[in-house]
Every structure is written in C-alpha cells, then in structure tokens.
Amino acid sequence: MLTDATRAVLFDLDGTLIDSAPDLGAAADQMRTDRGLASLPMERYRPMAGSGARGMLGVAFGITPDAPEFAPLREEFFLNYEARMMRTRVFEGVAELVAALCARGLQWGVVTNKSVRFTGPLTRAMPLFGTARAIVSGDTTPYAKPHPEPLFEAARQLGVPPERCIYVGDDERDMAAGRAAGMRTVAAAYGYMGAEADVTLWEADAAIASPMELLQLLEPA
C-alpha cells in the first residue's frame, strides 16, 4: 500500500482540491463577449482549467503563448479572474479528507503552478487551508511542475523527506513531478482532465475517482 512510512500528503490545487473552472472559464468568456463574440459553454473551458491562462485563452481565442497578442490578453484574463476568484469552492469530500488526514497525524500541503498572486489570497480566504503546513506556488521557486523543485520545497517546509510524501494531482505533469521528486503519486481522476487524457498512461502509483478514496490507500495492508 501507499502508506508505509508516509508522513505527509501534498496536493495540486486547481482540479484536485478546488473547483476553479467556473471562475476561470467565466473570466475568459467575458473577454469574448466584451469583443462582441458569442459566449462559449462551460463544457468547452472545463477540461482546460488546469492549464490556467494558456488553456483558457486557447479555448476562447485559439491562441498559444507564442502569439504576440498573448501577453496582453493574459493580463486582461488575470484581471477578470481576480475579480471573481473568491467564488471558488472546494470539491465535495475535500474538507472531510483533510480533516481525516489531520486526525491521523499526517501533515499536508499544496504544490501548484498557480502564481502566488492568486494562490495567496485564495488560501488565506478559505478555511480549508488553515491546517496546511506548506503552500508552494508556481513562482515560489525558479521552477514549475513538472520540475521536482516545487515538491522539494514543500517537503522542506514540512520538514519531511520527499520519499515519505505522497503527491496527489489531476495532471500528467503532477505525476512526472512527483516521480522526479521521489514521492509516491496518486492521480485525481475526478479533476480537469480533457477527453484525451488516459490516467493509465501517467505512471501513477494509484488513481482515485473521488477525494475520499485517498483514505482507502492509507489503510494498512
């Protein structure tokens, strides 16, 4: 089982702990309607929510980060998102999962590629994160996932060796980062994976269909 010598559980943020897709999608869609373009259904945005501005602007305007207009559009998107991001809610079962981890004496934290510009206000405002012992944003270190350094930083903040941590995320990059850091990995199959995603190809140690399923992996063999 995953639990031998486990002392901490680290999580990705968007698509793993919180459901920010409605706010991210609305921020991008507002940019379309402000330009007189037709609104797109949320179903178009949701699978790309884990990719942040890159994913949302790709859906809204079909552009990539190498397009010359990408940078100003990204900042406009960020401003739209900041105006509505406090509406974000945690996934069903996440609060209960975190409470159960704490009751078992396990530390927990967050490693996200989301900028501290957004991670900071969100985690300070949401009671869920009051017991988190590490919050690592995409710009906390010089690197972002799939590089392992953000996970190493979280382990340092917790004072726990990486090999005694589990990392849970809803993106293949999360699994790659976890493996590179020497952590056991769990794919959150309830997250923002697009239709093309195949969790079985991610080389995760396990996969869960809901947050509370993680507890089953923490039971002694």
Side-chain angles (χ1 to χ4, degrees):
M1 301 295 286
L2 289 172
T3 52
D4 293 343
T6 298
R7 289 176 51 194
V9 182
L10 296 168
F11 298 91
D12 177 47
L13 186 61
D14 299 79
T16 302
L17 293 177
I18 64 173
D19 185 7
S20 53
D23 301 327
L24 291 165
D29 207 57
Q30 181 186 335
M31 296 172 66
R32 284 183 57 88
T33 57
D34 284 350
R35 289 164 171 78
L37 299 173
S39 176
L40 296 177
M42 178 53 58
E43 290 73 20
R44 292 278 300 277
Y45 292 105
R46 189 173 186 84
M48 299 303 297
S51 298
R54 173 173 56 86
M56 296 297 96
L57 293 177
V59 172
F61 299 108
I63 65 170
T64 58
D66 56 355
E69 65 270 31
F70 184 82
L73 287 174
R74 178 178 58 190
E75 184 56 30
E76 181 182 345
F77 168 76
F78 285 161
L79 292 172
N80 284 353
Y81 176 55
E82 280 181 317
R84 54 175 44 86
M85 69 177 181
M86 291 308 177
R87 306 172 192 173
T88 293
R89 296 292 180 264
V90 299
F91 280 111
E92 183 178 354
V94 164
E96 293 81 0
L97 169 61
V98 166
L101 295 177
C102 293
R104 296 180 183 209
L106 295 172
Q107 296 191 73
W108 76 281
V110 173
V111 182
T112 175
N113 277 356
K114 201 182 194 80
S115 168
V116 70
R117 171 180 177 180
F118 310 109
T119 306
L122 269 175
T123 57
R124 287 192 296 269
M126 301 178 77
L128 174 76
F129 299 98
T131 55
R133 295 294 175 255
I135 304 286
V136 177
S137 302
D139 48 0
T140 299
T141 78
Y143 304 96
K145 298 175 296 183
H147 197 284
E149 180 56 29
L151 291 172
F152 288 141
E153 172 61 22
R156 287 192 292 267
Q157 291 185 19
L158 295 175
V160 175
E163 63 271 17
R164 301 189 72 176
C165 298
I166 292 172
Y167 187 50
V168 185
D170 70 310
D171 192 281
E172 189 171 7
R173 292 171 301 176
D174 298 325
M175 303 301 98
R179 288 195 307 273
M183 298 182 182
R184 285 159 292 174
T185 57
V186 176
Y190 55 86
Y192 295 149
M193 295 170 291
E196 305 300 316
D198 185 349
V199 176
T200 63
L201 301 178
W202 290 5
E203 300 182 39
D205 292 301
I208 54 176
S210 68
M212 287 296 283
E213 283 187 22
L214 183 65
L215 294 180
Q216 298 173 22
L217 300 178
L218 298 175
E219 295 296 336

